[in-house]
């Protein structure tokens, strides 16, 4: 994932099989529409179950899940997306990291890979739903929508900071993420927020 591989034009290839390759990319609006539909469906299921008599408890769980997403985002980006940096001699680690993230580092402006495409995305959503269900039970219908909202905010920020013209209110995220791509791949793992980079000491130098 070094600097020499970065190409600001074009699109990388992950699989030789055309069907598998097709499933690794999609326009962001298509993916977002599917995830938003699932999010509201889960909320409706939670509402129909009358999980809490207090609106504020439900809102608290939802917002807490959004905040938890930022922690998950940081850990996943640092330890899974860059797995090959922790196991440099492992072909498996390289293949995993390249498949889910390395191709994005090589082609950071590939618009079809700035948001998780639907088929692998639905597999991940299902796995997370089952995991959260085991821990939270029916509270998953409040927690999972908040978590997915956090992801959608992250994905929106990620798409915007990879554009050539970034709104002023996202300049901090733009600079932070650009430093991760072009100068410090071992730092600046947060995209939607720099909070966890500050907590865990992975902020790039201030200058």
């Amino acid at each position: 994932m070094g600097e020499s591989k970065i190409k600001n034009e074009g699109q990388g290839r992950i699989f030789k099989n055309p069907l598998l390759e097709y499933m690794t990319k999609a326009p962001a609006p298509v993916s977002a529409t599917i995830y938003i539909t699932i999010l509201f469906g889960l909320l409706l299921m939670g509402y129909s179950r009358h999980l809490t008599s207090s609106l504020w408890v439900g809102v608290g769980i939802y917002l807490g899940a959004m905040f938890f997403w930022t922690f998950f985002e940081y850990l996943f980006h640092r330890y899974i997306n860059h797995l090959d940096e922790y196991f440099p001699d492992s072909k498996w680690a390289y293949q995993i990291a390249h498949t889910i993230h390395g191709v994005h580092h090589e082609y950071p402006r590939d618009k079809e890979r700035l948001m998780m495409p639907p088929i692998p995305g639905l597999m991940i959503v299902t796995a997370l739903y089952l995991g959260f269900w085991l821990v939270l039970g029916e509270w998953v219908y409040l927690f999972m929508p908040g978590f997915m909202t956090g992801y959608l905010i992250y994905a929106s920020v990620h798409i915007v900071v990879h554009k050539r013209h970034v709104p002023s209110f996202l300049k901090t995220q733009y600079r932070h993420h650009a430093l991760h791509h072009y100068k410090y791949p071992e730092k600046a793992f947060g995209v939607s927020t720099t909070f966890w980079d500050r907590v865990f000491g992975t902020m790039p130098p201030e200058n």
Side-chain angles (χ1 to χ4, degrees), residues 72-127:
F72 179 89
E73 169 197 322
Y74 176 89
L75 292 181
F76 196 90
H77 189 181
R78 181 175 181 178
Y79 294 110
I80 305 301
N81 288 356
H82 290 268
L83 187 66
D84 56 329
E85 294 175 16
Y86 298 96
F87 302 96
D89 298 324
S90 170
K91 291 183 179 179
W92 282 100
Y94 171 79
Q95 192 60 46
I96 291 169
H98 178 75
T99 300
I100 63 177
H101 194 61
V103 71
H104 170 59
H105 267 262
E106 290 180 41
Y107 296 87
R109 296 192 186 278
D110 180 357
K111 295 179 181 180
E112 290 192 308
R113 290 197 172 108
L114 293 176
M115 179 179 280
M116 184 63 68
I119 293 178
L122 290 172
M123 293 169 65
I124 293 170
V125 167
T126 301

Side-chain angles (χ1 to χ4, degrees), residues 11-31:
Q11 186 175 74
R13 188 176 184 90
I14 297 175
F15 297 109
K16 292 181 180 179
N17 183 294
L19 178 59
L20 290 177
E21 179 66 13
Y22 176 76
M23 292 191 297
T24 68
K25 51 191 176 181
V30 173
S31 300

